[in-house]
Amino acid sequence: MGEVVVRTTDLVKQYGEGEASVRALNGVSCEIFDGEYLSIVGPSGSGKSTFFNMIGGLDRPSEGSVFINSVDIAQLTPKELAFLRCHTIGYIFQTFNLITVRTALENVTLPMLFAGTSPDEADEKGMKLLDLVGLGHRYHHRPSELSGGQQQRVAIARALANSPAIILADEPTGNLDLKTGQEIIDLLRKLNQEQGVTVIAATHDHKMLGVSDRIFHISDGKLDRVETQTPATH
Amino acid sequence: MRASDVRNTDPPFWVAWHQARASIRVRFWRQAITAAGVALGIAFFSSMQVLQAAEGKGADAAAVSRNQWLVATSLVMCLVGITNSMLMSVTERFREIGTMKCLGASDTFVVKVYFLESLQLGLLGSVVGSVFGAGLMAMATRAMGQPAPPSAVGAVMGFGTVLGLVLTVVAAIFPAIQAARMPAAAALRVEV
Ligand SMILES: Nc1ncnc2c1ncn2[C@@H]1O[C@H](COP(=O)(O)OP(=O)(O)OP(=O)(O)O)[C@@H](O)[C@H]1O
Ligand SMILES: [Mg+2]
């Protein structure tokens, strides 16, 4: 396996104060390697989304640290954090989270414009990415005109915009039917194998576990067990 | 990644401009209602100002104090109305702000988009509101035989426009700054 891309040390996240406080993460230390396909599973409320937010630089840990490519992200200024999100990580959400007022192509090109790519180059690469996810012909449609599965494909194309090292997905198939979910899983697996992008996905979906290199089992905010497997190929 | 690798992450001005335009175009009716809220507030305020200017000349003490009361009330209503419209239209979009941050938007970019959007809405609402409010009241006072001086009506229109514009932008910018500074996870979670 490759280099370590994400490392956490004694990660703790506590929400709230005093009696009402919840320890959503309670000392998680782990290493995630370049190019792997990692699934995070656990019962509802076990802390998967919280973990996702921590390693994605979307929220600050209460204790412990997150290192991405050996950089402690707590040390970054807001501007540097924006740079990290723009260049290093692609995010995929259960609820797709496309920018509703922009077209599919504009959603895909926006991160490139943040990265300083010229508009022509961004459009060209955006069309290539939409073709890659099978939606080249729908580039001028807005999210409200696309099905859930199609929206998630656009979100995947958008996550790939700046050729990130890591794709972080929080229940990417959670709002999709079985068949569409399978297509999204296959697409992520394909990107992982062909482009070498590290995929980290929180999921309840058993089909997703089948294609994973490793599985983190989380319960009650702790990393219970790490399962290594030879993924099914198809 | 090293800190030295970080270049200026803000994209050219037109990227924010296009985002603001798209937001107004696509949410046209929602935005029209927001602009109408601004226009109504300013129209009420402007009309009271014109009324005061018309009666100012020969008014007795009681009328003067009644007019001052009306102007103060109209200012408060206009403040509350505009702030409410803009707060609603920004806070209902915290999730969009969180998403943009995930794509690499800097805090400044987010604020810039909402500044440009509120500038356009505010300009439209304030011009329409002050012209209609002041204009209609000017006609009404003339019909009542006690016309407001045209210079006063012009001044009210100018002042109303500036007031509406400033209020609109300020009321939009503060929640936008607040949302931009939140951790992205918190902005994404907000449901209105
Ligand atoms: N913003 C918050 N404020 C307070 N408590 C929170 C917040 N976010 C999460 N929690 C709590 O932290 C715990 C872990 O939540 P988290 O969302 O990480 O679970 P999850 O594993 O993603 O669950 P699910 O599978 O249902 O998505 C839960 O007990 C939840 O109630
Ligand atoms: Mg979750």
Side-chain angles (χ1 to χ4, degrees):
Chain A
M1 236 177 262
E3 311 257 293
V4 173
V5 282
V6 179
R7 186 158 61 86
T8 69
T9 53
D10 295 322
L11 204 56
V12 172
K13 178 66 180 180
Q14 179 166 335
Y15 291 109
E17 298 283 319
E19 282 189 14
S21 72
V22 178
R23 279 211 159 201
L25 287 181
N26 199 356
V28 175
S29 299
C30 69
E31 289 186 329
I32 298 170
F33 301 100
D34 189 26
E36 74 172 326
Y37 192 117
L38 174 75
S39 288
I40 300 167
V41 293
S44 182
S46 55
K48 301 184 295 295
S49 298
T50 308
F51 185 68
F52 170 93
N53 289 338
M54 295 297 138
I55 60 178
L58 304 182
D59 208 350
R60 295 194 176 280
S62 311
E63 289 164 37
S65 313
V66 176
F67 298 86
I68 294 178
N69 291 332
S70 313
V71 177
D72 181 353
I73 63 175
Q75 306 297 325
L76 300 178
T77 63
K79 203 143 202 160
E80 290 165 344
L81 205 53
F83 186 91
L84 175 89
R85 291 188 192 120
C86 188
H87 291 260
T88 313
I89 306 174
Y91 302 86
I92 299 173
F93 301 92
Q94 178 172 357
T95 49
F96 322 133
N97 289 18
L98 296 177
I99 306 286
T100 50
V101 298
R102 310 305 297 266
T103 64
L105 181 61
E106 286 168 340
N107 265 279
V108 179
T109 55
L110 201 54
M112 297 187 229
L113 299 174
F114 289 145
T117 312
S118 77
D120 291 342
E121 209 180 314
D123 280 350
E124 195 180 316
K125 187 168 178 203
M127 284 308 295
K128 273 199 196 123
L129 287 171
L130 284 175
D131 280 334
L132 181 72
V133 299
L135 278 179
H137 58 299
R138 304 297 296 271
Y139 72 95
H140 59 288
H141 287 251
R142 284 209 311 278
S144 58
E145 298 157 350
L146 300 173
S147 73
Q150 289 170 335
Q151 288 186 51
Q152 197 61 302
R153 283 165 185 276
V154 175
I156 291 174
R158 185 178 70 177
L160 290 168
N162 291 322
S163 314
I166 305 163
I167 286 194
L168 261 182
D170 192 1
E171 308 202 22
T173 61
N175 279 6
L176 302 174
D177 64 45
L178 285 177
K179 180 169 162 293
T180 321
Q182 184 67 53
E183 286 167 11
I184 295 296
I185 292 168
D186 292 344
L187 180 58
L188 285 174
R189 184 61 182 168
K190 187 176 115 188
L191 295 169
N192 168 253
Q193 285 178 330
E194 291 177 2
Q195 313 202 355
V197 51
T198 310
V199 174
I200 306 172
T203 186
H204 284 292
D205 194 333
H206 283 281
K207 298 186 301 305
M208 194 120 188
L209 302 185
V211 301
S212 310
D213 298 315
R214 287 200 303 161
I215 302 169
F216 282 8
H217 293 265
I218 292 196
S219 68
D220 282 338
K222 289 199 180 244
L223 183 55
D224 244 14
R225 192 156 61 86
V226 179
E227 191 179 332
T228 306
Q229 60 175 18
T230 317
T233 42
H234 38 90
Chain B
M1 188 195 82
R2 257 168 247 97
S4 57
D5 296 338
V6 178
R7 296 184 309 267
N8 177 18
T9 45
D10 270 357
F13 175 79
W14 62 264
V15 179
W17 176 251
H18 283 190
Q19 177 67 30
R21 294 292 307 173
S23 182
I24 293 182
R25 198 177 57 242
V26 175
R27 280 188 260 260
F28 182 78
W29 292 110
R30 176 72 184 83
Q31 301 280 29
I33 288 169
T34 306
V38 173
L40 277 176
I42 288 298
F44 185 45
F45 174 72
S46 305
S47 65
M48 286 304 131
Q49 290 274 310
V50 170
L51 184 64
Q52 190 192 32
E55 293 183 345
K57 288 176 287 185
D60 53 52
V64 168
S65 84
R66 191 201 61 199
N67 275 340
Q68 279 168 349
W69 168 246
L70 272 177
V71 168
T73 318
S74 69
L75 185 61
V76 170
M77 289 195 47
C78 150
L79 270 169
V80 172
I82 292 177
T83 314
N84 184 47
S85 305
M86 293 315 295
L87 276 180
M88 282 296 296
S89 94
V90 178
T91 48
E92 72 191 8
R93 282 189 276 155
F94 272 26
R95 233 173 73 135
E96 181 183 286
I97 293 178
T99 305
M100 286 216 273
K101 290 190 70 172
C102 289
L103 305 183
S106 67
D107 299 3
T108 345
F109 178 83
V110 170
V111 175
K112 208 189 285 174
V113 169
Y114 285 85
F115 173 75
L116 291 172
E117 194 181 309
S118 61
L119 199 66
Q120 294 174 69
L121 290 180
L123 194 62
L124 179 72
S126 314
V127 168
V128 169
S130 59
V131 167
F132 269 84
L136 286 178
M137 189 53 87
M139 284 192 267
T141 52
R142 179 170 306 134
M144 290 186 298
Q146 204 178 23
S151 62
V153 176
V156 168
M157 285 181 184
F159 181 67
T161 304
V162 172
L163 178 73
L165 196 55
V166 170
L167 281 179
T168 311
V169 172
V170 168
I173 278 291
F174 277 96
I177 291 175
Q178 187 205 350
R181 284 199 188 142
M182 276 186 192
L188 283 169
R189 203 181 300 114
V190 175
E191 296 278 350
V192 180

